[in-house]
Amino acid sequence: MTRPATAWRSLARKMQIDTHSQLLQMVLMIICVCNRINCRSVREAVDAGARSPKAVQAHHGCKFNCGKCSQSIGEMISEQMDRCVPSLPVLAAE
């Protein structure tokens, strides 16, 4: 599924990316070489409920081979969860 050019431009502005190639590299960058999982695949798994590197792998029907990607996947999960967390109102204690 491809996005219209305006959606890509708006995403690039939001993420402060200045060139189309940087945006494509970010979307298509391979995170897990053994299982061919890219950034987009990790984000899809997190959106579907994956909250650990192992859950991301399971979402795509695979398991870790070398495990070198687990830290990168964990960092991506944390970053995406930080973006999705709604700000909670601060209440004064009585």
Side-chain angles (χ1 to χ4, degrees):
M1 184 171 114
T2 59
R3 290 182 165 185
T6 55
W8 286 114
R9 280 189 223 110
S10 118
L11 180 61
R13 278 192 298 273
K14 186 187 301 183
M15 299 177 79
Q16 297 178 344
I17 297 172
D18 57 351
T19 66
H20 184 68
S21 62
Q22 284 178 324
L23 179 62
L24 283 177
Q25 182 180 10
M26 196 169 179
V27 170
L28 301 175
M29 187 172 78
I30 299 292
I31 301 299
C32 176
V33 175
C34 300
N35 295 307
R36 296 180 57 185
I37 294 176
N38 61 21
C39 292
R40 181 187 296 165
S41 300
V42 173
R43 286 191 293 274
E44 288 171 359
V46 173
D47 290 343
R51 297 296 179 258
S52 69
K54 197 176 258 188
V56 170
Q57 294 281 347
H59 175 80
H60 293 290
C62 52
K63 296 179 182 177
F64 285 110
N65 289 329
C66 71
K68 291 181 181 179
C69 62
S70 65
Q71 183 176 356
S72 297
I73 292 173
E75 289 170 1
M76 288 184 69
I77 292 168
S78 294
E79 289 170 6
Q80 187 149 350
M81 295 306 299
D82 288 346
R83 281 188 224 125
C84 296
V85 175
S87 59
L88 299 174
V90 177
L91 301 174
E94 293 185 30

